[in-house]
Amino acid sequence: MPDDLTDPRDSRAWIAPLVSTLVTLPLAFFALVTGGLSPMACDSCSEADSDRFDASFGPAWTLLCCGLALSLILLVAAWALPWRQGNAARRVLITVLAPATVLLTSVTFAALLDTP
């Protein structure tokens, strides 16, 4: 592990977290709004369809919220990582994982819903 005194400061360390933030936050907002509005898909359902949808929505919503929280944690970690050249690869990996987590969470949410 590089020593902070010998590892030079990376002057471009802010670029990857900024790009990831600009991609992840709108994706997360869209996923949250879509997930929040998804119960309206079953407004005109029969009682049996509505019961199946409600049973699947609870776990799917929990997964969506946890996945979006994880992506937020990844964004914070990308910004909080020391701005040294030795952390460049870790920072890029974390910044790529943040929007990927949102996309994977959204797809999993949609797959878990039992829509009529």
Side-chain angles (χ1 to χ4, degrees):
M1 183 158 168
D3 185 16
D4 280 347
L5 299 176
T6 60
D7 192 19
R9 181 172 171 83
D10 188 3
S11 62
R12 297 173 296 172
W14 59 273
I15 295 172
L18 178 65
V19 170
S20 183
T21 301
L22 292 175
V23 170
T24 303
L25 291 181
L27 279 176
F29 176 74
F30 181 72
L32 189 64
V33 168
T34 303
L37 294 176
S38 64
M40 288 194 302
C42 203
D43 279 347
S44 62
C45 295
S46 67
E47 188 69 31
D49 288 340
S50 180
D51 290 342
R52 280 197 324 272
F53 179 82
D54 289 343
S56 68
F57 181 75
W61 179 255
T62 302
L63 175 102
L64 181 68
C65 291
C66 290
L68 294 179
L70 177 63
S71 68
L72 181 63
I73 289 168
L74 288 170
L75 278 179
V76 170
W79 282 104
L81 203 59
W83 289 20
R84 301 289 177 190
Q85 288 181 356
N87 292 327
R90 273 177 251 155
R91 182 175 291 105
V92 169
L93 176 67
I94 291 171
T95 56
V96 168
L97 285 176
T101 302
V102 173
L103 291 174
L104 180 65
T105 301
S106 298
V107 169
T108 308
F109 173 79
L112 286 176
L113 281 182
D114 187 10
T115 55

